[in-house]
Amino acid sequence: MSDHSRPVSQALYDPSSTSSRQAVKFLTAVTIGATLLILSGLTLTGTVIALILATPVLVLFSPILVPAGIVLFLVAAGLVVSGGCGVVAMTALSWIYNYVTGKHPMGADRLDYARMRIADKARDMKEKAKEYGQFVQHKAREATQGA
């Protein structure tokens, strides 16, 4: 039976063609790996040469560059913080709008539960204060009647 009459799947897994496939895969991997290794070496060499050439310039201009770097860092940090605060504010306002309009945003059930617990505690404290006030009034009457 010739190769033309066999299905493609059998022709792909033919034992005689696997060694040549493995050789092609190996050569491709070696070629790509060697190329990347050479590029990595060139990049490292260029970086070291640039650092050697730039070091005297950096040392000479360090009294100017260090404060400028600090200022740039502070400006960038301020922009990031203000942008983050703006995003948080917009998110909070959107959540509040959704909550007030009756939509059920994420976490609204926990807020309702906390509000209910606070109202219950406030009611309990009001009752305890009323009872304590009555107790104090009773003691005051006893003290005035006994005198």
Side-chain angles (χ1 to χ4, degrees):
M1 192 186 272
S2 69
D3 284 340
H4 298 291
S5 62
R6 290 192 302 174
V8 175
S9 61
Q10 286 181 355
L12 286 176
Y13 297 109
D14 185 17
S16 64
S17 68
T18 57
S19 62
S20 63
R21 271 187 182 200
Q22 288 177 346
V24 169
K25 286 181 184 178
F26 177 74
L27 287 175
T28 304
V30 167
T31 304
I32 292 172
T35 304
L36 291 175
L37 189 60
I38 289 170
L39 287 175
S40 171
L42 288 174
T43 304
L44 178 64
T45 304
T47 303
V48 169
I49 289 172
L51 185 62
I52 289 171
L53 293 176
T55 300
V57 175
L58 291 174
V59 169
L60 286 175
F61 289 109
S62 65
I64 298 168
L65 293 177
V66 170
I70 292 171
V71 166
L72 287 175
F73 172 76
L74 290 175
V75 166
L79 288 173
V80 168
V81 168
S82 67
C85 288
V87 168
V88 168
M90 291 302 294
T91 303
L93 289 173
S94 171
W95 190 92
I96 291 169
Y97 176 77
N98 287 336
Y99 183 76
V100 169
T101 57
K103 298 174 185 156
H104 195 72
M106 189 175 7
D109 52 346
R110 290 170 50 187
L111 180 68
D112 292 337
Y113 176 73
R115 185 170 16 128
M116 184 181 63
R117 291 277 312 252
I118 290 171
D120 289 345
K121 288 294 180 186
R123 198 174 312 113
D124 291 345
M125 292 303 294
K126 182 180 175 182
E127 289 175 10
K128 284 183 182 181
K130 186 184 276 187
E131 290 173 4
Y132 187 71
Q134 290 172 353
F135 172 75
V136 169
Q137 281 181 351
H138 179 70
K139 287 291 186 181
R141 274 192 226 135
E142 286 180 359
T144 56
Q145 289 176 357

